[in-house]
Amino acid sequence: MTDYPADSILVLLDTTPSGALTKSAAGLLGAAAGVGTPVALIVAAGGEQLASDAAALGAARVLVAEPTELGAQLTVPVADALAAAAELVRPDAVLVSNSIEGREIAARFAARSRSGLAVDAVGVSRDAEGVIAHHSVYGGAYNVDSAVTWGAPVITVREGAIDARAEAQPVSIERLEVAASARRAAVIDSVDEAVVTSSRPELRGAAKVVSGGRGLGSEEQFALVDQLADVLGAAVGASRAAVDAGYVPQSYQVGQTGVSVSPQLYIALGISGAIQHRAGMQTAKTIVAINKDADAPIFEIADFGIVGDLFTVVPQLIAALEARKA
Amino acid sequence: MKIVVLVKEVPDTYGDRKLNLETGLADRAASDTVLDEIGERALEVALSYADGHADTEVVVLSMSPEAAAATVRKGLAMGASSAVQLVDEALVGADLGLTAEALAGALQHIGYDLVIAGNESTDGSGGVLPAMIAELLDVPNATSLNSVEIAEGEVRGERASDHGTMQVTATLPAVISITERLPDARFPNFKGIMAAKKKPFETLSLAEVGVDAETTEASRSIMISLAEKPPRTAGTKIVDEGDAGERLAEYLVQNRLA
């Protein structure tokens, strides 16, 4: 029986269907290292191979589990593994990515263990009484801190929100045996992993985002957004108007009912800046807007706004950026 | 088939939404309130199944302050057979854990074959309640569905996951949640609005669903501080005079953003 540090923070690391750690791992371990000793849990077939990656990102200890129904049942097998890990580690807090899979695993675990659940945290800290979660709510209009009445909080962390990174640790792996809870679960019939067609970063968690709106005018002309994104190494997003007009798929949508992003740089092209769109991007560090309507609300929050025709300004911008690179 | 749809009154996202800085609660008077759109879509899934299957009962369930009854009633006007509102002073400011326990208690009280919810609300946007409720009821969660196929004894659909999609199947009873990919909800018509007035509308308290808000057996999440962020202010705004692209490139480079 190995003992775990008294200030252990249990961190569930997401993995992709093809068996790698997701990008959220660095931020989760960075956040955990700021409030205690990060103990990572990897629930994947062949998780041992990923343990060194987790250690490089700051996991002092790595638990590897492969529950029998993993990949066959939805949510429950990983929630069972998380419950077993929490039982073993007795952490001060449990951190999970606020991804679709992550938050549902956290949900089942918190409901089962009757732990206090705090979702979509953008940071964590510690006071005399325990670990505190920091949230940015109503589209970034308010900052809220939350704590739990007792025990270890279960906190889901917004992807891309944590800048802190932990120091690499020596690899220390332990295999975790998981007893199945026998909770009823949905069956996964098949998985269709989205094919990554470009080297472009994912929208969630991207450091830079270029988004297009109805001002792009057509699906063909939306390619201008892609071109600028590629020059900047940015992810591509869109307003709901551009999605509704069929320029891009719904997965591109930034805003109230789409993806919330907090990048270093957000460039809005031909986006008027309806309140629902702003709710998903106004926590960006720097906002740039190009729109031909001088009264567009997006300019009220833009650090750098250009009133002009994006079809002349953007090509000039791309040319200028490429000239500097050359 | 008895389908219970979870619906919620939320501040309209077309206006400014406020939190009360004294109580930390949503300031319901500060903005118009509406039935959350994703909940309407969830109801549409149930109603379109009911359209083709006469022996279907559709119940809308909402945990909300008493004043939200009119909003919940919209679900009846759209076509639900009955409505249940869970109202209790002890639920004011409830965290996710208590909310899940209260809704799970109400679902057990009402009875269900299938529970349909939106994947996340526009206000709290936690996206965790369907899975929490499924855990408490010990039923499968088939959540974040882009498509829904309800069959005898099971429900299937395409789940929008983090790295693509999955086909999932759950044996009933089950809890599902749906994404915005599902069709828009129908509008209540005049006949529906008139009929709604005669439909059963039940109000339940926490005690009636067997939940104790004060229990110390569960740890609760509490708000310990709240601050309004200073509104973002506009920075430089220029009108393109033929060199705006160049100037923006300059700005990005100077700020190490390119």
Side-chain angles (χ1 to χ4, degrees), chain A residues 16-17 22 74-75 99-101 103-104 107-108 111-112 114-117 119 132 136-150 183-194 208 232 240 250 256-257 265 275-276 282-288 290 294 299-307 312-313 316-317 320-321 324, chain B residues 11 13-19 21 26 37 41 96 101 120 122-123 126-128 131-132 134-136 138-141 143-144 159-170 180 215-229 232-240 242-246 248-253 257-258:
Chain A
T16 65
T22 63
L74 197 60
T75 320
S99 58
I100 294 168
E101 302 294 335
R103 69 191 188 185
E104 294 190 338
R108 275 197 176 262
R112 190 182 300 177
R114 304 196 81 179
S115 305
L117 174 62
V119 296
I132 293 169
S136 174
V137 306
Y138 277 179
Y142 295 88
N143 290 328
V144 172
D145 293 346
S146 72
V148 294
T149 50
W150 57 268
R183 280 289 199 286
R184 294 183 185 89
V187 174
I188 301 171
D189 300 316
S190 63
V191 178
D192 187 8
E193 190 169 0
K208 296 176 193 173
L232 290 166
R240 183 165 183 172
Q250 207 265 331
Q256 184 74 71
T257 52
L265 172 65
I275 198 163
Q276 292 92 337
Q282 66 185 0
T283 54
K285 301 274 188 323
T286 300
I287 297 173
V288 172
I290 304 176
F299 288 125
E300 292 164 19
I301 58 164
D303 298 287
F304 195 99
I306 296 173
V307 181
T312 59
V313 176
Q316 189 183 61
L317 170 64
L321 291 171
R324 280 162 201 272
Chain B
T13 59
Y14 279 89
D16 273 336
R17 298 173 298 171
K18 300 262 181 229
L19 289 178
L21 295 173
E37 184 191 314
R41 277 178 210 265
L96 289 160
E101 286 170 22
E120 60 179 53
T122 54
D123 55 352
V128 290
M132 293 180 93
E135 175 72 25
L136 295 170
D138 190 11
V139 299
N141 63 291
T143 29
S144 187
R159 168 177 168 88
S161 183
D162 299 297
H163 304 279
T165 57
M166 301 173 173
Q167 296 297 324
V168 296
T169 306
E180 283 205 317
T215 179
T216 52
E217 279 168 38
S219 173
R220 302 295 184 201
S221 176
I222 49 171
M223 190 186 279
I224 55 172
S225 85
L226 164 66
E228 191 165 10
K229 225 181 259 185
R232 243 192 132 95
T233 50
T236 315
K237 182 168 151 190
I238 62 170
V239 176
D240 182 25
D243 63 348
E246 295 277 356
L248 176 53
E250 184 74 23
Y251 174 86
L252 294 177
V253 170
L257 293 167

Side-chain angles (χ1 to χ4, degrees), chain A residues 226-291:
Chain A
D226 300 345
Q227 287 167 25
L228 178 58
D230 290 343
V231 173
L232 290 166
V236 174
S239 67
R240 183 165 183 172
V243 171
D244 286 350
Y247 305 165
V248 286
Q250 207 265 331
S251 58
Y252 283 53
Q253 189 174 317
V254 171
Q256 184 74 71
T257 52
V259 177
S260 282
V261 295
S262 303
Q264 297 294 319
L265 172 65
Y266 189 89
I267 301 185
L269 303 177
I271 293 176
S272 64
I275 198 163
Q276 292 92 337
H277 185 74
R278 279 160 31 202
M281 47 65 77
Q282 66 185 0
T283 54
K285 301 274 188 323
T286 300
I287 297 173
V288 172
I290 304 176
N291 201 302

Side-chain angles (χ1 to χ4, degrees), chain B residues 6-28:
Chain B
L6 303 186
V7 297
K8 184 177 186 187
E9 183 185 78
V10 297
D12 193 341
T13 59
Y14 279 89
D16 273 336
R17 298 173 298 171
K18 300 262 181 229
L19 289 178
N20 182 319
L21 295 173
E22 296 291 321
T23 62
L25 301 172
D27 186 345
R28 287 174 185 263

Side-chain angles (χ1 to χ4, degrees), chain A residues 58-109:
Chain A
R61 308 280 282 272
V62 182
L63 291 166
V64 175
E66 194 182 341
T68 45
E69 297 299 333
L70 182 66
Q73 289 184 354
L74 197 60
T75 320
V76 170
V78 188
D80 291 353
L82 186 56
E87 186 69 28
L88 177 68
V89 175
R90 303 261 162 204
D92 278 353
V94 176
L95 301 188
V96 179
S97 172
N98 194 48
S99 58
I100 294 168
E101 302 294 335
R103 69 191 188 185
E104 294 190 338
I105 294 158
R108 275 197 176 262
F109 170 68

Side-chain angles (χ1 to χ4, degrees), chain B residues 160-246:
Chain B
S161 183
D162 299 297
H163 304 279
T165 57
M166 301 173 173
Q167 296 297 324
V168 296
T169 306
T171 306
L172 299 182
V175 174
I176 69 170
S177 77
I178 55 121
T179 70
E180 283 205 317
R181 298 286 290 278
L182 271 295
D184 282 335
R186 63 194 65 188
F187 287 103
N189 56 25
F190 181 70
K191 202 173 135 206
I193 294 165
M194 294 313 287
K197 293 179 179 168
K198 297 195 179 75
K199 287 178 178 172
F201 191 108
E202 189 184 2
T203 304
L204 293 174
S205 69
L206 268 186
E208 285 170 288
V209 301
V211 172
D212 174 13
E214 303 301 323
T215 179
T216 52
E217 279 168 38
S219 173
R220 302 295 184 201
S221 176
I222 49 171
M223 190 186 279
I224 55 172
S225 85
L226 164 66
E228 191 165 10
K229 225 181 259 185
R232 243 192 132 95
T233 50
T236 315
K237 182 168 151 190
I238 62 170
V239 176
D240 182 25
E241 287 168 347
D243 63 348
E246 295 277 356

